[in-house]
């Protein structure tokens, strides 16, 4: 439901109804509302309220500021009175709802591919057995032995139907090769494993008293496969805590010096602006904003404390910083009451200004203005905005004085705003007021009409100065980006800030290194030419030739490694990106070249980006050849689109609300937590689930291959090798818990090593453990062990006297010996693979083996009344009385595991020699990477991280 606000003391109140503060007053209101048809744009609403007073109609304009969306939280009032404008499926929230795209991990896709292979094996086995059965029965002696002659009905039955029935029987007999229980175990592993992220104390933030949040557990392993990281800047790389640093008034630079503005030496210019200009500049900061003054107890948004237990509250922390900056220099904003703004000046005198109009900020104009009337009757326009949107609206000589300071502040990484003013005569204001009222009352094309009026008003202004606000870099943001680079990930920064500010932040967070050569595709490079498309094509071809065609081919270089060749960084802005992504024919060629350039760059900065463009960038990279895994991280509502578009979306629990964290797959308090989330949790989750998947296919192949081989010795009669209880409980009870515990607790490499050596992340990239070669190894291992189980026991049964009393074992004893060897072998195989032993691993591994033995003894030691056939009665206990069976089981287990044991021994010998070689090697230092007189830690450790010298980490 959308509600129209009519409560006072808020900027979104309708002025004509702000006095209606009681139930009786609202009941006496007679009015109608005209508004546009329902449409999904959350930031657009066009309407008009007609109020009937004494048979007169008084119209009031309604816009997006007069709407409250369902679910919103009141910030500055105890209650509201409102009227429902849209309801049900016509509300903006309902019209904006669309189901999230299904995100499937690379592991799930690999499982499906492997499943097709095993389905083919199943069908092949059933087909082979069916065909061989009828070949074998072509001999009348085999088809109708004297002790089992066919009935007349069986002889006259339809043969094709019988063949199909036999085929289905073999399918049922061999269907256990399909690991259905694996899907249950995988879901349990994902669900239970996600708690380890939420419980991680290293990702708990003391400031907000919150830790990591897992919104979906289906993508845990995808955290270990990320190739591209797309991150927002403000609030993600930076703290989004704005602090007023300095300002420039009439070309003179001022900095904070106690309680007053102090002019500093700037570009060889000494002196200061006049007192009147200083005060006018500070008054502009106090008046040109949407900040409100509220008691601290009423606030639940971004606030800044002021005197008398009150605080400034605003949707933008920039505006709070500017108001606090003016307060620091003697001009204090005292709040707004009944459209009158109060300011206390440096002499502690209260100045009152009537607020006539607010020209709200929008991303197209990129500026905001207010029209105020002084107590002396002067009408003033104060405007603040980005330099690119203000400079062309003021005198040229004023721009020249301010521009150098703005550019320098941007290079220093500060967020800059320019401040201008203009005085209007009464006649000019009446004309402006008329046009504004007409535009606001329009129900058709209101935005376009308002834009034209704003454009006329915000012209021929006088530039007062500029402000510099610092958004500090988040703690360990630089170290995190450096670690992501070392792990082989490419980091792209997508921001709406201006290029100079974003570039400075990228240098500060080490996205760009000092030796990185920057390539620019910005409006600045194109605006000097008549045909921008031609110049864009020239630049694209030039960069493509430099990075792709003429680049030296480096053999054996690992993905994402920072080698001795030149590193390149790309900077592109939103308008240039629009030319590249345009849907015409030529831009399709631009897009291919642009992607090739981006893939050769170590880092990419996209500035002046709209939210939709951020999503387009992510989609473009996601759909490139090879389908690289992408991750988007942001903290605000403008980042939601790219978070939903990426394979994995990370939300930062920042100061711009919780939209990003609610729409993300995972949410963390700070950007620095991304390091552990990917390098540790992502790495371990992928290794665990990859091993789980391969192990399930392997143990089911070991399980069913003896059953298939047994058909060659039973006339293809669909006779099962194992008892029904063993068939049912193999995957459910005997072998399920050990692999589940392994997939939750295994740490093949310690957490400290994974954090210290980010390059270990590259060893599992590209879904390395679920490629066809590892899958073939596990399949061959399963086939080998299945052959050992069956033919080993078959050779054992060549001795007719397995029992000391001369009795012989039957077919159920044969199957039980095979099954016992199977259960012990696959369980001990998992024990050999375990590197991180806990009490739980010991409990489930040895407990599962003990449970199998105890179950078998009881299952065959009691005559169960609900069973028609007691075929397993005393079979297991009788089997254990034979010394030959004991010896055979031990030998078969050893033979089955011998390849694994031999492989482990060879790797340990190799690692021991490599450790000795590593201790003898001198420290390798690249003086090219000396920074500030200190050797880069990443370079000195390079030799330690080579696959040759550190392969022991994976053993």
């Amino acid at each position: 439901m959308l509600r129209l606000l009519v409560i006072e003391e808020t900027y979104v109140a309708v002025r004509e109804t702000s006095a209606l503060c009681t139930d009786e007053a609202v009941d006496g209101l007679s009015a109608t509302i005209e508004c546009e048809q329902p449409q999904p744009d959350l930031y657009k609403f066009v309407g008009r309220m007609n109020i009937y007073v004494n048979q007169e109609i008084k119209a009031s304009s309604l816009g997006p500021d007069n709407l409250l969306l369902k679910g919103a939280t009141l910030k500055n009032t105890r209650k509201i009175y409102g009227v429902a404008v849209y309801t049900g499926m016509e509300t903006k929230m309902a019209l904006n709802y669309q189901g999230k795209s299904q995100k499937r991990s690379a592991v799930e896709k690999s499982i499906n591919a492997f499943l097709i292979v095993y389905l083919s094996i199943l069908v092949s086995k059933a087909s082979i057995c069916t065909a061989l059965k009828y070949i074998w029965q072509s001999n009348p002696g085999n088809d109708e032995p004297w002790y089992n002659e066919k009935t007349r009905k069986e002889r006259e039955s339809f043969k094709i139907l019988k063949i199909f029935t036999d085929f289905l029987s073999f399918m049922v007999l061999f269907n256990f090769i399909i690991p259905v229980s694996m899907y249950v175990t995988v879901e349990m592993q994902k669900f239970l494993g996600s708690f380890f992220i939420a419980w991680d104390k290293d990702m708990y933030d003391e400031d907000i008293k919150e830790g990591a949040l897992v919104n979906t557990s289906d993508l845990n392993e995808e955290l270990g496969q990320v190739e591209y990281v797309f991150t927002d800047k403000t609030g993600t790389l930076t703290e989004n805590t704005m602090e007023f640093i300095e300002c420039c008034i009439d070309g003179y630079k001022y900095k904070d010096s106690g309680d007053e503005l102090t002019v500093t030496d700037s570009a060889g210019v000494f002196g200061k602006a006049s007192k009147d200009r200083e005060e006018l500049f500070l008054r502009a900061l106090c008046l040109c904003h949407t900040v409100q003054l509220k008691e601290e107890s009423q606030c639940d948004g971004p606030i800044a404390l002021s005197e008398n237990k009150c605080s400034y509250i605003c949707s933008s922390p920039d505006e709070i910083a500017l108001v606090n900056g003016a307060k620091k220099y003697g001009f204090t904003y005292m709040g707004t009451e009944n459209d009158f703004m109060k300011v206390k000046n440096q002499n502690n005198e209260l100045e009152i200004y009537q607020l006539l109009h607010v020209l709200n900020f929008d991303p197209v104009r990129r500026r905001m203005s207010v029209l105020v009337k002084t107590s002396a009757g002067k009408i003033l326009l104060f405007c603040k905005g980005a330099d690119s949107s203000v400079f062309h609206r003021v005198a040229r000589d004023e721009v020249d004085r301010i521009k150098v300071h703005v550019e320098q502040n941007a290079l220093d990484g500060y967020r800059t705003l320019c401040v201008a003013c203009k005085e209007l005569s009464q006649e000019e204001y009446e004309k402006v007021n008329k046009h504004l009222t007409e535009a606001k009352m329009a129900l058709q094309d209101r935005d376009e009409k308002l834009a034209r009026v704003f454009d006329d008003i915000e012209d021929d202004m006088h530039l007062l100065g500029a402000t510099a606000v610092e958004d500090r870099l988040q703690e360990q943001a630089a170290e995190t980006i450096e670690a992501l680079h070392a792990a082989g990930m490419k980091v792209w920064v997508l921001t709406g800030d201006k290029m100079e500010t974003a570039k400075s932040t990228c240098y500060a967070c080490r996205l760009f290194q000092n030796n990185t050569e920057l390539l620019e595709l910005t409006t600045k490079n194109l605006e000097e030419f008549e045909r921008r498309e031609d110049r864009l094509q020239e630049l694209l071809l030039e960069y493509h030739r430099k990075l792709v065609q003429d680049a030296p081919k480096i053999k054996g270089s690992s993905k994402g490694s920072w080698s001795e060749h030149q590193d390149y960084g790309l900077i592109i802005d939103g308008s240039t990106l629009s030319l590249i992504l345009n849907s015409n024919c030529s831009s399709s060629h631009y897009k291919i070249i642009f992607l090739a350039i981006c893939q050769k760059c170590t880092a990419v900065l996209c500035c002046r980006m709209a939210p939709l463009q951020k999503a387009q960038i992510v989609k473009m990279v996601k759909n490139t050849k090879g389908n690289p895994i992408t991750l988007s991280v942001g903290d605000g509502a403008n980042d939601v689109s790219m978070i939903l578009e990426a394979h994995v979306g990370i939300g930062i629990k920042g100061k711009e609300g919780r939209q990003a964290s609610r729409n993300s797959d995972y949410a963390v308090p700070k950007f620095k937590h991304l390091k552990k989330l990917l390098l540790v949790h992502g790495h371990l989750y992928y290794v665990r689930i990859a091993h789980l998947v391969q192990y399930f296919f392997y143990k089911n192949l070991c399980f069913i291959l003896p059953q298939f081989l047994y058909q060659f010795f039973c006339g293809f009669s669909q006779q099962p090798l194992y008892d029904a209880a063993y068939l049912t409980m193999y995957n459910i009870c005997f072998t399920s818990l050990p692999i589940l515990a392994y997939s939750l607790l295994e740490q093949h490499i310690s957490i400290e090593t994974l954090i210290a050596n980010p390059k270990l992340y590259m060893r599992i990239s590209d879904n390395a453990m679920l490629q066809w070669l590892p899958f073939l190894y596990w399949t061959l291992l399963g086939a080998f062990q299945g052959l050992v189980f069956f033919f080993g026991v078959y050779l054992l049964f060549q001795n007719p006297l397995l029992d000391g009393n001369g009795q012989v074992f039957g077919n159920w004893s044969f199957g039980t010996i095979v099954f016992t060897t199977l259960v012990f072998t696959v369980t001990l195989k998992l024990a050999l693979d375990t590197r991180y032993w806990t009490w739980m691993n010991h409990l489930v591994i040895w407990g599962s083996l003990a449970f199998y033995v105890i179950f078998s003894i009881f299952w065959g030691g009691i005559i169960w009344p609900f069973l028609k056939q007691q075929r397993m009665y005393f079979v297991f206990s009788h089997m254990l009385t034979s010394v030959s069976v004991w010896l055979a089981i031990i030998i078969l287990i050893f033979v089955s595991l011998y390849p694994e044991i031999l492989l482990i021994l060879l790797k340990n010998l190799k690692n021991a020699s490599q450790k000795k070689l590593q201790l003898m090697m001198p420290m390798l230092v690249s003086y090219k990477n000396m920074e500030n007189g200190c050797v880069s830690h990443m370079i000195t450790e390079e030799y330690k991280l080579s696959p040759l010298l550190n392969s022991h980490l994976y053993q």
Side-chain angles (χ1 to χ4, degrees), residues 880-899:
L880 295 181
T881 62
S882 173
V883 177
S884 301
V885 172
W886 278 88
L887 183 61
I889 291 175
I890 294 173
I891 292 175
L892 291 178
I893 292 173
F894 176 77
V895 172
S896 301
L897 295 177
Y898 180 74

Side-chain angles (χ1 to χ4, degrees), residues 144-283:
E144 281 191 84
W146 61 269
Y147 56 82
N148 189 22
E149 292 184 357
K150 291 183 178 180
T151 64
R152 182 177 179 180
K153 183 178 180 181
E154 288 176 338
R155 289 194 184 99
E156 294 176 354
S157 63
F158 191 46
K159 193 166 186 177
I160 295 180
L161 180 61
K162 185 69 169 64
I163 292 173
F164 181 69
T165 304
D166 286 332
F167 174 78
L168 293 181
S169 299
F170 282 116
M171 289 286 288
V172 172
L173 186 64
F174 300 143
N175 80 89
F176 290 95
I177 195 174
I178 304 300
V180 178
S181 61
M182 177 188 66
Y183 288 92
V184 179
T185 308
V186 165
E187 291 303 319
M188 290 178 64
Q189 189 268 351
K190 289 183 176 182
F191 174 71
L192 296 176
S194 63
F195 286 102
F196 290 102
I197 296 177
W199 292 339
D200 194 331
K201 293 181 179 179
D202 292 337
M203 291 196 287
Y204 182 82
D205 187 70
E206 291 291 343
D207 295 335
I208 63 174
K209 304 298 181 184
E210 291 184 40
L213 175 67
V214 180
N215 293 324
T216 176
S217 60
D218 289 338
L219 302 172
N220 291 345
E221 65 276 8
E222 206 80 333
L223 295 170
Q225 298 296 301
V226 176
E227 298 179 50
Y228 285 86
V229 176
F230 301 93
T231 175
D232 181 38
K233 185 185 78 70
T234 305
T236 304
L237 294 177
T238 60
E239 293 183 352
N240 203 15
T241 302
M242 308 301 176
E243 180 181 356
F244 187 89
I245 299 298
E246 62 183 48
C247 62
C248 170
I249 305 176
D250 275 355
Y252 299 100
K253 184 177 178 181
Y254 291 79
K255 275 201 171 184
D256 180 17
S257 177
D259 296 329
E260 61 180 9
L261 284 171
T262 303
V263 69
T264 62
D265 177 19
S266 176
V269 179
F270 295 89
K272 60 183 300 185
S274 64
K275 184 71 172 176
D276 291 342
R277 297 288 284 184
E278 289 180 359
E279 292 181 351
L280 187 60
F281 176 83
L282 294 174
R283 286 190 180 94

Side-chain angles (χ1 to χ4, degrees), residues 602-613:
T602 55
V604 177
L605 168 62
C606 303
C607 51
R608 297 301 196 198
M609 289 284 120
L612 181 60
Q613 288 180 313

Side-chain angles (χ1 to χ4, degrees), residues 9-13 65-66 289-292 333 336 341 355 358:
E9 294 187 353
T10 172
Y11 275 109
V12 292
D65 288 342
N66 302 114
H289 56 73
T290 57
V291 175
Q292 299 178 56
Y333 170 62
T336 302
M341 305 181 74
L355 180 62
V358 177

Side-chain angles (χ1 to χ4, degrees), residues 537-564:
Q537 184 176 6
E538 291 177 11
L539 287 174
L540 287 172
L541 293 176
E542 177 187 343
Y543 295 158
H544 186 268
R545 185 165 50 251
K546 188 174 186 178
L547 272 67
V548 181
Q549 298 175 1
D550 299 340
K553 304 296 181 182
I554 303 174
K555 295 183 179 180
S557 61
S558 60
K559 183 191 73 170
S561 61
W562 288 6
S563 55
E564 296 297 324

Side-chain angles (χ1 to χ4, degrees), residues 897-949:
L897 295 177
Y898 180 74
E900 285 286 305
I901 297 172
L902 183 62
L903 190 61
I904 292 173
L905 290 175
L906 291 176
K907 287 182 178 180
N908 288 338
L909 290 174
K910 181 181 177 182
N911 292 335
S913 62
Q914 288 173 351
K915 286 180 181 179
K916 183 177 179 181
L917 175 63
Q918 183 176 346
L919 293 174
M920 295 172 61
M921 286 184 64
M923 173 132 341
L924 303 179
V925 178
S926 172
Y927 290 96
K928 179 181 178 181
N929 294 276
M930 295 280 288
E931 296 179 2
N932 300 323
C934 299
V935 180
S936 172
H937 176 71
M938 293 296 298
I939 303 301
T940 58
E941 294 294 320
E942 193 78 27
Y943 76 97
K944 296 181 182 178
L945 302 178
S946 68
L948 176 66
L949 298 178

